[in-house]
Amino acid sequence: MAMGRPRAFDADAALDQAMEVFWRHGYEGATIAQLTEAMGINPPSLYAAFGSKEGLLKAALDRYSAKRACWMEEILSAPTAREVAERMLMGTADTQTDPANPPGCLLVQGGLACGTGSENVPFELAARRAETENQLRDRFVRAKAEGDLKQTADPAALARYLSAVNAGMGVMASSGADREALRQVAAVSVKAFEEQSNS
Amino acid sequence: MAMGRPRAFDADAALDQAMEVFWRHGYEGATIAQLTEAMGINPPSLYAAFGSKEGLLKAALDRYSAKRACWMEEILSAPTAREVAERMLMGTADTQTDPANPPGCLLVQGGLACGTGSENVPFELAARRAETENQLRDRFVRAKAEGDLKQTADPAALARYLSAVNAGMGVMASSGADREALRQVAAVSVKAFEEQSNS
DNA sequence: CCACATTTGTAGTGCTCACTACATTATGGA
DNA sequence: TCCATAATGTAGTGAGCACTACAAATGTGG
């Protein structure tokens, strides 16, 4: 049977461009015109490949998550809970102020509150944030079992805390905080972990 | 001379309703139709009183800030820096999950990233957040002078930290975190202050 | 009671939005 | 070579957006 005309653009490269537009303007602030221009394609190609604006966002988020996965692996491989926290927050300070990306975090800026009809966008972003939090919690459960965290420590609470600080840094970065300011926040945050660690 | 027909609605009550719509849907997600319906007025009344959608947001933010002012006064009157932090974050945990309001924080949900033409909305919100941060910083400068904080403590960094955690809690609350979860975050966060406190 | 100033409700305005119809072009298989 | 299939570029589509023209309504000062 026939195979049809082949796609003339690289879907991953196009998704990277779309990701940046969503990152900079949020889901609702990003227009199809801006997206197609950044992706270098026309609307029909976008809809053929991704179905809808929301479908495009999900595809961009999948790619964002995939890119982040190896980064998280390295963080979680740190020997102690304290070091996991430090790598995580210091890494966040760097990436959220990296001029190669828009400032802040896509999972926060993308849209915390949306208009009627886009209610699942905040949901979708929250689910991705929760994924990171769960990874952290599992890591801290292990840290507690290994005696790295005190027996009184609550791994879920610590993961939530780290996740909250991470999101908070995203808010700060989105409003122009520089790398040094974010590193200060990270440094103070990590102190809360020393209280929960053995030695 | 003549004074014209008097306004038939209470501007402050209308602003409270508008505040809630912006809070729940964000600036861009809120439509004039939703706003006018919630405020119980028609578009011409809205534009006569507030000039534009952005003008309405600013007026709502002014009212939000005014309401928050006395709350902040009480927080800042706490005897120690540690207690300032605790009151602040515990209070945030409560208000951001108060069923009387939409979940989260208006200054965060309102819009971190906006579309072309609304660039100053994120700016405006950031300015209001910075106000709180400055109040905290001033309070911590005093705490340091009073010997309540260690001489090695950085008041600006601590204020930034508290501001970041506050924003992070807003992100969590917006995605459905319950009061207990936020209180856990607050409790962990406060531990970072004990490191910086004398005795 | 009357001119005047301002608000109100009705009913739109132009514009931009996400999305698509359609003819064309480019491939693989028979 | 010719058909089936699918992507592309052009040029829109209806819907919903922020905002407003206009006339009726409602108050004040003289």
Side-chain angles (χ1 to χ4, degrees):
Chain A
M1 58 189 104
M3 293 290 281
R5 177 173 175 174
R7 181 176 287 160
F9 65 95
D10 176 20
D12 282 339
L15 278 178
D16 282 337
Q17 299 306 311
M19 193 192 302
E20 171 154 346
V21 175
F22 282 132
W23 200 332
R24 198 173 297 279
H25 296 292
Y27 176 73
E28 295 195 306
T31 69
I32 295 292
Q34 286 173 324
L35 289 164
T36 52
E37 175 166 2
M39 297 166 85
I41 61 177
N42 291 310
S45 298
L46 191 160
Y47 284 90
F50 306 106
S52 66
K53 187 182 177 186
E54 201 173 318
L56 175 62
L57 176 72
K58 285 182 186 170
L61 290 177
D62 284 341
R63 190 160 166 77
Y64 183 80
S65 297
K67 279 185 169 181
R68 245 179 91 138
C70 63
W71 185 67
M72 273 304 282
E73 289 252 353
E74 189 181 310
I75 285 170
L76 295 172
S77 73
T80 66
R82 202 208 90 106
E83 234 168 314
V84 168
E86 185 164 27
R87 281 195 202 177
M88 167 105 184
L89 296 182
M90 283 298 175
T92 293
D94 288 355
T95 60
Q96 290 190 348
T97 56
D98 186 342
N101 303 323
C105 172
L106 171 60
L107 301 186
V108 172
Q109 312 223 38
L112 298 178
C114 279
T116 311
S118 306
E119 291 91 351
N120 28 356
V121 168
F123 229 74
E124 193 74 27
L125 296 174
R128 315 271 177 162
R129 292 194 302 268
E131 210 173 325
T132 301
E133 186 182 313
N134 288 338
Q135 288 179 297
L136 289 170
R137 190 201 54 213
D138 293 347
R139 179 65 184 81
F140 294 154
V141 166
R142 197 187 99 198
K144 189 172 170 182
E146 288 172 347
D148 168 34
L149 283 173
K150 287 183 181 169
Q151 285 307 308
T152 56
D154 180 345
L158 291 175
R160 254 197 289 269
Y161 167 71
L162 220 52
S163 192
V165 173
N166 203 64
M169 288 171 71
V171 173
M172 291 183 57
S174 81
S175 51
D178 64 13
R179 184 165 295 180
E180 196 47 46
L182 292 188
R183 283 187 172 162
Q184 283 180 353
V185 170
V188 176
S189 302
V190 170
K191 305 231 178 200
F193 264 79
E194 286 162 7
E195 283 262 345
Q196 314 273 334
S197 302
N198 282 321
S199 88
Chain B
M1 59 189 103
M3 294 289 281
R5 178 173 173 174
R7 180 176 289 160
F9 64 96
D10 177 21
D12 282 340
L15 277 179
D16 282 337
Q17 299 304 312
M19 193 191 303
E20 171 155 345
V21 175
F22 283 132
W23 199 332
R24 199 173 296 279
H25 296 291
Y27 175 74
E28 296 194 305
T31 69
I32 295 292
Q34 286 173 325
L35 290 164
T36 52
E37 174 166 4
M39 298 167 84
I41 61 177
N42 292 312
S45 298
L46 192 159
Y47 284 89
F50 306 106
S52 66
K53 187 183 177 186
E54 201 174 318
L56 175 62
L57 175 72
K58 285 183 186 169
L61 289 176
D62 284 341
R63 189 159 168 77
Y64 183 80
S65 298
K67 279 188 170 180
R68 244 178 91 137
C70 62
W71 184 66
M72 273 302 283
E73 289 253 354
E74 189 182 309
I75 284 170
L76 295 172
S77 73
T80 66
R82 201 208 91 105
E83 231 167 318
V84 168
E86 186 164 25
R87 280 196 202 176
M88 166 104 185
L89 295 182
M90 284 299 177
T92 293
D94 287 354
T95 59
Q96 290 190 347
T97 57
D98 186 343
N101 304 323
C105 172
L106 171 60
L107 300 186
V108 172
Q109 310 223 42
L112 297 179
C114 278
T116 313
S118 305
E119 291 91 351
N120 28 356
V121 168
F123 230 75
E124 193 73 27
L125 295 174
R128 314 272 175 160
R129 292 194 301 270
E131 211 173 324
T132 300
E133 186 183 314
N134 288 337
Q135 287 179 296
L136 289 169
R137 190 201 54 214
D138 292 348
R139 178 66 185 81
F140 294 153
V141 166
R142 197 187 99 197
K144 190 173 170 181
E146 288 172 347
D148 168 34
L149 283 173
K150 287 183 181 170
Q151 284 309 306
T152 56
D154 181 346
L158 291 174
R160 254 197 289 269
Y161 167 72
L162 220 53
S163 192
V165 173
N166 202 65
M169 288 170 70
V171 173
M172 291 182 57
S174 80
S175 51
D178 64 14
R179 184 166 295 182
E180 195 47 45
L182 292 188
R183 283 187 171 164
Q184 283 181 352
V185 170
V188 176
S189 301
V190 170
K191 306 232 176 197
F193 266 79
E194 285 162 9
E195 282 261 346
Q196 313 274 335
S197 301
N198 281 321
S199 89

